[in-house]
Every structure is written in structure tokens, then in C-alpha cells.
């Protein structure tokens, strides 16, 4: 089953590019950029990767991202991620990046965007991986700051699929960003949001009703509300589920209790993804494998989830058909 999981053609729809920054690269970039780290070696840093909740993780994630300064750093980060997912037969990826994580430190939007974008273009040409970019607003900051991001993104608008919402969920409901999402949608961006990871089902309603999202990132707590669960299934709103993230952030007590079986039972459209692979112990294939091992995810379920990942992507129609054909011939 391991080979099957690694080789089945699939798409990744929930990955924070800053969350693919491996400990080894944190050290090499710190050296290149002459930055002092709090940790003396990779092992010591890895030992700190124990989290009791989302915030404890975010504190380390923002610290790690501080070694990214130059366009080349963002290029190298993105290229390393693409090489990794090539080994897991990811055909298409939709990556999040957090502009404010960098602009707040004095790194310009242009530097960040150009590094990521050039790496994705090269990844398309050299590795055959198609991609899209979603820029996320940090929800612990205010809406005014999100509006500033939208303004900075203006020259790159045609190269960005949508806006997303990430960072500390509790206390920062989606409606806090209602106006900036409205303006973003008016400008042609699609809308995405993390909702129901640590926050309640009400936040998922809020993201659907007020931000008009095209997909739900995580969405686990939707299951606490039957009406909402039914609505999500009926409206074919896909969920980007991230099991190893849920385990590491204690969103679920144990992978054996992961809500994936209930989600499938409720006919929700499920995709599996890595979230922050360098911090949570695995890339996309490890997430599929973890679910196979802990909740007996069957071969048929794996095929459906891989197909969902392609169907729920925003690759254009021709590319989707190409990927679905590749999936069909893999299954023959
Ligand atoms: N949740 C919310 N914000 C994030 C995450 C996450 O898992 N990863 C990076 N930013
Ligand atoms: Zn996420």
C-alpha cells in the first residue's frame, strides 16, 4: 500500500510554503544570511517541535521563517518543496504564502513573491508540476493590514489564484475580514479560509456566509453541527484535511480518533494534505499513509481522495483532464 500511496497521481491543496522550511535549511539560510539562531544545531531545534496547540506551533513557525530574507531564499525554499513532492507524484499544488510574515520584518512583498513565483515556473518547466498561489492574511493582525497586502499584491494580481486566512484562529472569526475579502473577490480573487481547526462550527458558517469561500481549510469542527455538515456535503464544498497537523497540534487526541471516517460517511468532499510538512513530520504521502494505518483508509477511499484533490483544485480544465487521465491510466 505504501508504494500505491506514493505513486498515485494527486494534487496538494493545503500547504504553507513557509511550513516546508526544513530544520536543515533553517540552519543553512541562517548561515548564508548571517543570522544568529537560538538553537545550536538541527537536533536541538527539532526537539522544540512539540506543540500543545496551534499558537505554540505558530510561535516557532514565525521564528523559523525569519531566516528568509532574499528572493533566492524563497526560490530555494519553494524548489526544495517541489522536488520533495515530485517523489510523491504530486502533479499540481496550490500553495499558501503569508506576505505579512515577511513584510512585518522588512522583507518586501516583491522579494517574497518573485522568489516563490520563479521557483514555481521552473518547477512547471523542469518537473512538470503545475501550481497556483494563494496569499493568506494573518488573522491575528487587523483588517487594515490585510488591505495593505491587497494593495501590494496589485501588480501580481493575475498570478495569484486567491486570498486565504490563516494564523491564530480562536478570537479571530472570519467576519473580522469581511470587507477585505469582499474587495478581493471584486478584484477577481477566489476566497479560502482556515476554519474549524481550533475554532467552532460557527466560524465555518461565518467563512461560508461572510467570506464566500470556495474551499474549507481543515473544517474538522463542522462535524459538531449536523446542519452545517449537510450543507457542506450538498454544496460540494471541499475540505482540505491535514491529519499529521491535527495530531501535532492536538486538534485530535490520537490519529485513531481522527474524524476522517465521519467526514467520508457524511459524503463530504475530502482531500488530504500536509499543511506544514517540515514541522508536522510528513509530506502529503505520509498523511495518506497515516490515515491508512490509523483509521483503515481503504484503497478505494485513497483513490477517491486523490481524485477529489484533482477535481477540487483550480487547475484549468485541460490540465484537470490531463491529470484525471493520468490517474485513470495509473489505476489500470
Ligand atoms: N493553521 C493556521 N495557520 C497556519 C497554519 C495552520 O495549520 N500553518 C501555518 N499557518
Ligand atoms: Zn494550514
Amino acid at each position: 500500500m505504501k508504494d500505491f500511496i506514493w505513486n498515485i497521481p494527486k494534487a496538494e491543496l493545503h500547504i504553507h510554503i513557509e511550513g516546508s522550511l526544513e530544520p536543515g535549511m533553517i540552519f543553512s539560510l541562517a548561515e548564508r544570511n548571517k543570522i544568529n539562531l537560538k538553537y545550536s544545531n538541527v537536533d536541538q531545534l527539532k526537539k522544540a517541535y512539540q506543540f500543545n496547540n496551534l499558537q505554540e506551533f505558530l510561535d516557532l513557525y514565525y521564528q523559523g521563517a525569519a531566516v528568509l530574507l532574499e528572493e533566492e531564499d524563497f526560490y530555494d525554499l519553494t524548489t526544495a518543496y517541489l522536488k520533495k513532492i515530485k517523489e510523491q507524484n504530486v502533479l499540481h499544488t496550490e500553495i499558501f504564502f503569508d506576505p505579512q510574515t515577511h513584510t512585518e520584518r522588512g522583507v518586501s512583498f516583491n522579494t517574497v513573491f518573485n522568489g516563490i513565483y520563479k521557483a514555481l515556473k521552473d518547477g512547471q518547466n523542469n518537473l512538470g508540476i503545475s501550481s497556483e498561489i494563494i496569499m493568506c492574511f494573518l488573522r491575528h493582525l487587523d483588517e487594515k493590514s490585510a488591505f495593505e497586502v491587497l494593495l501590494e499584491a496589485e501588480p501580481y494580481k493575475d498570478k495569484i489564484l486567491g486570498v486565504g486566512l490563516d494564523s491564530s484562529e480562536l478570537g479571530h472569526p472570519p467576519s473580522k475580514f469581511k470587507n477585505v475579502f469582499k474587495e478581493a473577490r471584486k478584484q477577481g480573487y477566489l476566497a479560502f479560509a482556515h476554519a474549524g481547526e481550533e475554532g467552532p462550527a460557527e466560524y465555518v458558517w461565518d467563512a461560508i456566509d461572510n467570506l464566500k469561500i470556495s474551499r474549507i481549510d481543515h473544517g474538522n469542527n463542522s462535524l459538531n453541527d449536523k446542519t452545517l455538515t449537510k450543507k457542506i456535503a450538498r454544496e460540494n464544498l471541499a475540505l482540505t484535511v491535514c491529519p499529521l497537523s491535527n495530531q501535532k497540534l492536538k486538534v485530535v487526541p490520537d490519529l485513531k480518533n481522527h474524524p476522517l471516517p465521519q467526514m467520508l460517511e457524511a459524503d463530504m468532499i475530502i482531500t488530504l494534505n500536509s499543511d506544514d510538512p517540515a514541522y508536522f513530520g510528513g509530506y502529503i504521502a505520509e498523511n495518506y499513509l497515516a490515515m491508512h494505518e490509523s483509521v483503515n483508509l481503504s484503497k478505494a477511499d485513497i483513490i477517491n481522495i486523490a481524485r477529489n484533490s484533482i477535481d477540487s483544485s483550480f487547475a484549468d480544465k485541460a490540465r484537470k483532464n490531463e491529470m484525471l487521465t493520468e490517474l485513470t491510466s495509473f489505476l489500470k
Side-chain angles (χ1 to χ4, degrees):
M1 191 58 98
K2 191 171 171 208
D3 280 350
F4 182 81
I5 286 172
W6 254 250
N7 293 326
I8 188 169
K10 54 180 98 56
E12 177 146 61
L13 306 179
H14 187 150
I15 155 81
H16 302 261
I17 199 63
E18 296 91 343
S20 72
L21 179 55
E22 290 286 349
M25 193 179 267
I26 292 185
F27 276 85
S28 60
L29 292 181
E31 198 180 346
R32 188 157 95 187
N33 291 328
K34 307 199 171 24
I35 291 169
N36 278 327
L37 293 174
K38 265 178 39 184
Y39 303 90
S40 49
N41 57 50
V42 167
D43 283 343
Q44 216 186 66
L45 174 60
K46 277 192 193 159
K47 282 210 184 95
Y49 289 5
Q50 312 264 2
F51 316 111
N52 289 305
N53 51 47
L54 174 59
Q55 192 59 52
E56 287 187 12
F57 154 70
L58 289 168
D59 293 343
L60 254 121
Y61 162 91
Y62 296 127
Q63 253 182 52
V67 300
L68 298 159
L69 291 186
E70 311 290 338
E71 184 178 309
E72 186 189 11
D73 303 338
F74 291 92
Y75 180 92
D76 291 350
L77 169 71
T78 308
T79 301
Y81 163 70
L82 292 172
K83 285 188 176 153
K84 191 77 197 173
I85 62 169
K86 181 72 188 170
E87 293 166 13
Q88 304 191 342
N89 209 13
V90 174
L91 307 182
H92 175 85
T93 182
E94 300 188 351
I95 67 164
F96 296 127
F97 82 109
D98 291 337
Q100 291 146 303
T101 296
H102 314 296
T103 52
E104 295 251 309
R105 304 180 285 115
V107 178
S108 80
F109 186 98
N110 306 347
T111 298
V112 180
F113 188 84
N114 288 330
I116 294 173
Y117 185 75
K118 284 179 189 167
L120 292 177
K121 279 285 144 231
D122 287 349
Q124 167 113 52
N125 293 331
N126 304 331
L127 304 170
I129 299 173
S130 55
S131 50
E132 294 289 349
I133 301 176
I134 299 166
M135 68 174 182
C136 287
F137 303 128
L138 299 182
R139 67 204 302 159
H140 66 275
L141 301 178
D142 58 19
E143 194 180 39
K144 182 168 166 284
S145 174
F147 267 110
E148 286 162 14
V149 174
L150 201 58
L151 197 63
E152 284 175 308
E154 174 82 35
Y156 306 99
K157 206 162 66 180
D158 297 342
K159 300 184 170 74
I160 302 173
L161 174 71
V163 295
L165 191 61
D166 67 1
S167 189
S168 325
E169 186 178 9
L170 288 168
H172 303 284
S175 48
K176 180 178 164 187
F177 297 91
K178 190 175 171 163
N179 298 312
V180 73
F181 268 70
K182 187 171 182 193
E183 175 58 27
R185 290 195 316 276
K186 200 172 124 201
Q187 292 186 20
Y189 292 98
L190 292 176
F192 304 91
H194 284 55
E197 180 185 17
E198 282 188 341
E202 286 74 22
Y203 282 22
V204 182
W205 279 110
D206 187 358
I208 296 172
D209 291 343
N210 294 315
L211 306 187
K212 317 235 179 285
I213 52 173
S214 295
R215 236 170 20 217
I216 303 168
D217 295 316
H218 295 296
N220 297 29
N221 289 337
S222 310
L223 289 171
N224 297 333
D225 180 330
K226 281 206 173 68
T227 313
L228 175 62
T229 303
K230 282 193 185 135
K231 177 187 170 73
I232 292 169
R234 193 176 57 240
E235 297 183 3
N236 294 330
L237 258 182
L239 261 55
T240 60
V241 175
C242 307
L244 291 175
S245 165
N246 294 159
Q247 180 188 40
K248 282 294 250 184
L249 301 185
K250 303 204 165 39
V251 164
V252 297
D254 189 294
L255 279 186
K256 289 202 165 17
N257 310 107
H258 194 279
L260 180 69
Q262 290 98 285
M263 291 169 168
L264 294 172
E265 185 61 30
D267 277 334
M268 290 167 134
I269 297 180
I270 300 305
T271 66
L272 289 176
N273 309 273
S274 70
D275 210 4
D276 299 282
Y279 291 88
F280 299 151
Y283 286 74
I284 188 169
E286 284 89 350
N287 276 274
Y288 277 66
L289 185 62
M291 287 290 88
H292 170 64
E293 289 176 346
S294 58
V295 300
N296 293 319
L297 189 67
S298 69
K299 193 167 178 179
D301 289 332
I302 290 167
I303 295 168
N304 276 334
I305 288 171
R307 185 176 289 114
N308 288 345
S309 73
I310 297 169
D311 282 338
S312 313
S313 79
F314 286 90
D316 65 29
K317 210 164 169 214
R319 177 63 179 148
K320 266 192 194 178
N321 284 337
E322 206 171 83
M323 293 192 279
L324 291 169
T325 305
E326 200 165 320
L327 177 60
T328 307
S329 63
F330 172 82
L331 296 172
K332 268 187 192 145

